[in-house]
Amino acid sequence: MSSRDKKSWDASPDMPAGHFVSGDVYTDPDIYKDESEKVFAKAWRFACHDSELPEAFDYRVFEQDGQSLFAIRGEDGVIRSFLNVCSHRGAKLLDQPAGNAKLITCFYHRWTYDAHGHCAGIPRVSGYSGDVVSKETMGLREVRTETLHGLVFVTLDDAAPDLTSFVGKALDRFSEMLTGQPLEVFHYNRAVLDCNWKAWHETNMDLYHEFMHVVLRKTQVNAMPMKDRKLIVFKNGHGGSGGDMKAAYDGYKGFAGRGNDIPPLSGMAPTDFRFINLFPSTAIISRGTVVRIDTATPMGPDKTLLEMRGLGVMGEPEEHRRVRQRHHNQYWGPFGRNVPEDTIAAEACADSFRGHAGRYQIISRDEGLTGQDDAVLRAFYKEWALKTGRDPGQPVSS
Ligand code: FES
Ligand SMILES: [Fe+2]
């Protein structure tokens, strides 16, 4: 029961590979570069919910692998995505996070594009000799876009396998919830965190930190026996809850219990808690009446854009919406009892690894895919190792 000297502190934990992670995966610039090229340039990533583009020509700007992109709904109803870059001299085309544009006009020299990415106009095109610069040749760079259960995903990799084979069965238990009634985004929040993107995603994969949240200590940890809580891992690094966990909301002073005051989402009981983490950095979490979707986007080894969406039932009565917003916000809103604490935890680990004082993260809890098993974290890092060609447990700094 003694403290440890430097040699002991720096030594690899005496446990199987895959049960610990070097702190360098959160800080090292070469690892970050590998992640950019081998993970984010290739993965399917959640871009937005289709309810955010209800009308023809509605667009939504988002980031992927350090690049600005936008998704736009065509007059044919199809959502397509493009790099947010003009074909002429590379100016960023859309500056607002969302809007509606039948024609997208670059502010610099007024080239225009339509919602199919076709170049629609080049002022005084006759000044270009030959036919290299023409409306036919100067379209936008289209990015593969697929929608599954209302979730719009993109990949920068033209050769990536299609979305359904990437997702596999990971969203099967979410399909009824996501499609059993029309949903819409009623809450959008973004924050820049001083931590690596994985540190955020880990908070969504790690049930063991429930004890950190007073609200979860009161409402969730004792709501059902640990052994009856099931976790599941899927191919391609996805993982989450394997059955419904329960929450006893009235266990927290000031929270009302969740009865039948508003309809729960399709296929859910009001007290059900269900989550899935999609590799590399999307999480979908449902608390019976509401769904939250997180996307963690790297902005540097030590900086992460966190986007959070809350979804409820489209077109529901105002009084139902108010209750649903309360259910969302009491846990997940900017002043909720849960999410702000997660940001503190992610940044606290970053503080330690930034200066290499922290050396390893331990992810070795094994409860046979029940309780607070670390299996979902291990599945994530197994896929990360496969994609990056690196051993996440191996330090690269001294
Ligand atoms: S950079 Fe867009 S028109 Fe010139
Ligand atoms: Fe948390």
Side-chain angles (χ1 to χ4, degrees), residues 203 206 209 212-213 216 338 341-342:
T203 69
D206 161 26
H209 84 281
M212 175 183 78
H213 300 292
L216 297 187
N338 175 278
E341 295 161 357
D342 288 321

Side-chain angles (χ1 to χ4, degrees), residues 86-91 93 106-111 113:
C86 181
S87 298
H88 179 217
R89 295 214 200 141
L93 287 169
C106 179
F107 72 97
Y108 200 176
H109 309 89
R110 312 288 296 172
W111 287 25
Y113 305 92

Side-chain angles (χ1 to χ4, degrees), residues 50 79 145-153 163:
D50 69 357
I79 296 173
T145 305
E146 291 185 27
T147 302
L148 181 62
H149 307 325
L151 311 176
V152 181
F153 286 80
L163 176 64

